[in-house]
């Protein structure tokens, strides 16, 4: 790495190493491709740089990070579907009884 804040560089390198090992992140494929071509150390340094660019963009735009490899709608439905089904089962008998009284 180039001269600069040593603790920031060490932290970014550690985060890049972890992000490269995380299978469902955008950095996994990037790190894996670079490791095959350039070696582990250079791939980790390049991933740290990529991570720093993403962090800068998040801070600059003041928007939360959204990984392009994750379908957030599907994740939202998967997390909330059991609760939605419980609520539907709870209110379904009330709706059926209200419809019967309205039809009468």
């Amino acid at each position: 790495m180039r001269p600069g804040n040593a603790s920031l560089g060490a932290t970014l390198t550690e985060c890049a190493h972890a992000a490269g090992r995380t299978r469902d992140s955008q950095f996994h494929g990037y790190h894996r491709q670079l490791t095959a071509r350039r070696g582990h150390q250079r791939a980790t340094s390049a991933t740290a740089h990529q991570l720093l660019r993403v962090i800068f963009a998040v801070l600059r735009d003041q928007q939360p990070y959204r990984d392009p490899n994750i379908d957030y709608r599907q994740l939202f439905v998967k997390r909330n579907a059991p609760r939605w089904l419980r609520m539907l089962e709870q209110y379904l008998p009330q709706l059926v009884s209200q419809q019967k009284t309205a039809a009468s």
Side-chain angles (χ1 to χ4, degrees):
M1 295 201 84
R2 297 191 318 203
N5 189 331
S7 61
L8 178 63
T11 302
L12 278 172
T13 302
E14 188 75 25
C15 292
H17 182 68
R21 292 172 54 93
T22 304
R23 291 189 187 262
D24 293 333
S25 76
Q26 80 178 59
F27 302 104
H28 176 72
Y30 180 75
H31 188 269
R32 190 170 179 191
Q33 287 177 354
L34 283 176
T35 301
R37 288 182 304 184
R38 305 289 290 175
H40 182 72
Q41 187 64 38
R42 285 189 177 183
T44 303
S45 294
T47 306
H49 185 254
Q50 184 78 11
L51 185 61
L52 182 63
R53 290 173 53 197
V54 168
I55 291 169
F56 177 77
V58 166
L59 293 174
R60 180 194 63 212
D61 300 338
Q62 295 182 353
Q63 295 289 324
Y65 173 71
R66 296 184 65 85
D67 194 328
N69 295 337
I70 296 177
D71 184 9
Y72 287 97
R73 283 188 179 166
Q74 181 183 6
L75 188 62
F76 177 75
V77 170
K78 185 177 178 180
R79 287 182 179 170
N80 290 313
R83 181 176 54 87
W84 293 338
L85 290 174
R86 282 194 310 271
M87 290 177 64
L88 185 62
E89 289 171 355
Q90 178 183 356
Y91 292 112
L92 191 60
Q94 295 173 2
L95 292 175
V96 170
S97 64
Q98 287 177 359
Q99 288 177 352
K100 286 183 181 178
T101 56
S104 299

